[in-house]
Amino acid sequence: MSRQMKFVAFLMAGPTSHHHAMWRHPQTENRFLDPAFWETLARTLEAGRFDAFFFADVLSFYNETVMARGGQMSLLDPVPLVAVMARATSRIGLGVTISTSFQEPYAIARVLSSLDVLSGGRIAWNIVTSAIEREAQIFGKDALLPRSERYDRAEEVLKACLDLWTGWPDGALVLDKESGDFIDEVKMRRTEITGKYVGATGVFTVPPSPQGHPVIMQAGSSPRGRDFAASYAELVFTLQHSLPDMQEFYADLKGRVDRSGRNPDDCAILVSVDPIIGETESIAREKQAYVNDLVDPRLGIPFMSTHTGLDLSQYPIDKPISDIPAEAGSRGSFDVILQGTKASNLTLGEAAKHFATSELCPQVVGTPENVADQLQEFFDTKGCDGFIVTPTEMPGSFEAFTRSVVPILQKRGLFRKEYPGSSLRETIKA
């Protein structure tokens, strides 16, 4: 079989996704507190044969401006949401974002493994390290770990989780009514880990799911983040501005995966795109202009500030963003912003407006055929292995995409018509 695309839907349990005006669109339902809405959306994405959806998560409000104006936020914990959506579906993968900064490995491993068992092996863990001091404060901590240590802790947490998940060998769960043997304790393996940041001692209580353990997903952009992804990630979510940027990231990360001793094909790289689809090219462009004009410019600068760890409010809005020093901030996040603005030499104010529309990712605009052409170009020229599809209206973006673009890609042999198996790992490996 020829190489085929992978699709993962980007979701947040709140008013926006990457596009900070999504909730203001007349066609957006804003039913993000209604479980029935999420169940219906999950069925729509499964009917479109998406590999998975995943919930990005923010553990606190970024700041008062974002809270008041409806910027990016999470109003619900994604774990129970995923459990609800798992019951409404049978094949699509279900991704949960959990930060490694605030929970112990056993708590993370237990909740994810429980979801994985109950969903039939369809869970992915999107690993983040957290970069917002407010998140630390809401958890009762004075501050986050120093930036240089966050991936060190993340690696310890992940290694401990992997060790816990592999404590159950085949045949350990006996369930023999006649003999009374329930678990073969001789086969069970204890976890004995004491690290600098975390530890775990004991026997893991949750039996393995059909896929063994959750799929590992990650979105680091810095050199340290890329190395982490190269060592562990099976799905990588990346924000890239243009095809050359995609190709550069793709080649770099695949090379890192190879140097880490893994098969590059075992790490799928998915770039974020915002499809805007119209019956004609001009209608699609009108839709794009309309929703982009709804963006509140007050959201851009504070959101970029929290995203990068830099106080951008101290700089004039007409200052070229390439002139802003970034040494004290999140180098990976700021590099993504610079990469997405360098061609147009945008000012801080212009960049902030663009960032609040798509986080500088491509808005793939046009008729269904034209959108399919653009995605195929990104895919065929080794810009990616597939896409993180982000909406600009809910649920209309996903309904239009699954109805109109997916059948075209299926007809071209670029996307599956049926799921290859029942677990998420089977789906992404096919």
Side-chain angles (χ1 to χ4, degrees):
M1 180 181 294
S2 60
R3 183 167 167 259
Q4 291 191 320
M5 297 176 180
K6 305 180 190 304
F7 285 113
V8 174
F10 181 102
L11 305 177
M12 290 194 76
T16 69
S17 56
H18 284 169
H19 203 293
H20 290 210
M22 187 175 76
W23 71 275
R24 299 182 64 193
H25 194 285
Q27 300 303 316
T28 290
E29 296 184 11
N30 287 327
R31 291 170 53 207
F32 37 77
L33 303 181
D34 181 358
F37 171 81
W38 295 111
E39 290 173 334
T40 300
L41 179 60
R43 294 188 191 102
T44 296
L45 295 169
E46 187 170 72
R49 300 300 186 262
F50 270 54
D51 293 67
F53 57 80
F54 89 101
F55 280 94
D57 196 24
V58 183
L59 298 170
S60 69
F61 293 110
Y62 281 106
N63 55 38
E64 285 68 27
T65 302
V66 170
M67 178 172 61
R69 304 302 300 173
Q72 195 177 82
M73 63 185 74
S74 297
L75 299 177
L76 298 173
D77 188 309
V79 168
L81 262 183
V82 160
V84 166
M85 296 165 81
R87 291 291 293 165
T89 56
S90 61
R91 289 291 183 270
I92 192 168
L94 315 139
V96 179
T97 297
I98 297 180
S99 173
T100 57
S101 293
F102 308 116
Q103 295 191 52
E104 296 301 309
Y106 180 74
I108 296 173
R110 186 170 187 252
V111 72
L112 289 176
S113 196
S114 297
L115 286 173
D116 208 28
V117 169
L118 295 174
S119 66
R122 294 188 285 138
I123 296 298
W125 175 19
N126 180 45
I127 299 175
V128 298
T129 59
S130 292
I132 307 169
E133 293 295 341
R134 288 186 177 213
E135 292 189 342
Q137 293 161 9
I138 202 71
F139 274 87
K141 300 179 182 296
D142 293 333
L144 292 167
L145 281 173
R147 192 171 301 277
S148 60
E149 296 183 44
R150 292 174 199 169
Y151 270 112
D152 294 338
R153 177 184 165 95
E155 190 159 22
E156 280 195 11
V157 171
L158 176 55
K159 284 181 175 179
C161 287
L162 291 169
D163 194 86
L164 289 163
W165 286 329
T166 54
W168 282 74
D170 291 340
L173 187 61
V174 180
L175 277 173
D176 188 326
K177 291 184 178 181
E178 187 170 335
S179 69
D181 293 331
F182 185 72
I183 292 174
D184 186 344
E185 73 279 8
V186 175
K187 291 184 177 181
M188 298 293 286
R189 183 181 56 76
R190 287 174 60 85
T191 289
E192 301 282 354
I193 291 177
T194 303
K196 178 180 178 181
Y197 304 97
V198 298
T201 301
V203 178
F204 191 55
T205 61
V206 185
S209 77
Q211 67 175 358
H213 64 77
V215 167
I216 304 302
M217 183 175 177
Q218 207 265 338
S221 297
S222 66
R224 181 72 173 90
R226 295 187 190 198
D227 284 341
F228 184 86
S231 296
Y232 302 106
E234 298 165 83
L235 293 173
V236 169
F237 162 33
T238 182
L239 309 176
Q240 302 296 327
H241 178 64
S242 64
L243 178 56
D245 298 324
M246 295 177 194
Q247 292 169 325
E248 181 180 355
F249 180 89
Y250 188 90
D252 176 75
L253 189 57
K254 290 289 187 177
R256 291 174 192 251
V257 174
D258 184 54
R259 290 191 295 275
S260 76
R262 300 173 61 206
N263 184 340
D265 290 340
D266 290 338
C267 179
I269 298 173
L270 312 183
V271 298
S272 181
V273 293
D274 297 15
I276 300 177
I277 302 161
E279 292 80 2
T280 66
E281 184 77 19
S282 62
I283 289 174
R285 293 294 171 187
E286 287 177 12
K287 288 183 175 182
Q288 178 190 29
Y290 178 82
V291 71
N292 288 351
D293 283 345
L294 294 176
V295 170
D296 188 334
R298 286 170 287 184
L299 290 174
I301 290 176
F303 181 66
M304 268 204 322
S305 294
T306 53
H307 204 75
T308 61
L310 296 166
D311 180 11
L312 297 173
S313 64
Q314 64 184 299
Y315 300 104
I317 62 172
D318 59 353
K319 184 182 183 68
I321 194 168
S322 57
D323 292 345
I324 294 173
E327 287 73 15
S330 175
R331 186 71 250 184
S333 296
F334 198 75
D335 282 345
V336 169
I337 293 171
L338 289 176
Q339 174 182 286
T341 60
K342 62 187 178 185
S344 303
N345 194 30
L346 298 184
T347 65
L348 173 60
E350 292 167 337
K353 179 71 180 286
H354 280 275
F355 197 77
T357 59
S358 66
E359 295 195 13
L360 303 175
C361 297
Q363 289 187 321
V364 184
V365 184
T367 65
E369 194 81 26
N370 183 253
V371 168
D373 290 343
Q374 293 175 69
L375 298 180
Q376 183 171 356
E377 181 185 11
F378 295 157
F379 179 73
D380 283 346
T381 57
K382 295 296 180 72
C384 63
D385 296 310
F387 302 92
I388 301 289
V389 181
T390 62
T392 55
E393 60 177 281
M394 281 285 274
S397 290
F398 291 122
E399 292 172 344
F401 188 84
T402 57
R403 276 199 312 265
S404 62
V405 178
V406 165
I408 294 170
L409 296 172
Q410 289 172 328
K411 187 175 181 180
R412 296 179 185 180
L414 292 168
F415 189 58
R416 72 174 68 84
K417 293 183 178 180
E418 297 296 338
Y419 286 103
S422 59
S423 77
L424 176 55
R425 190 164 279 111
E426 287 177 287
T427 298
I428 66 173
K429 297 297 184 189

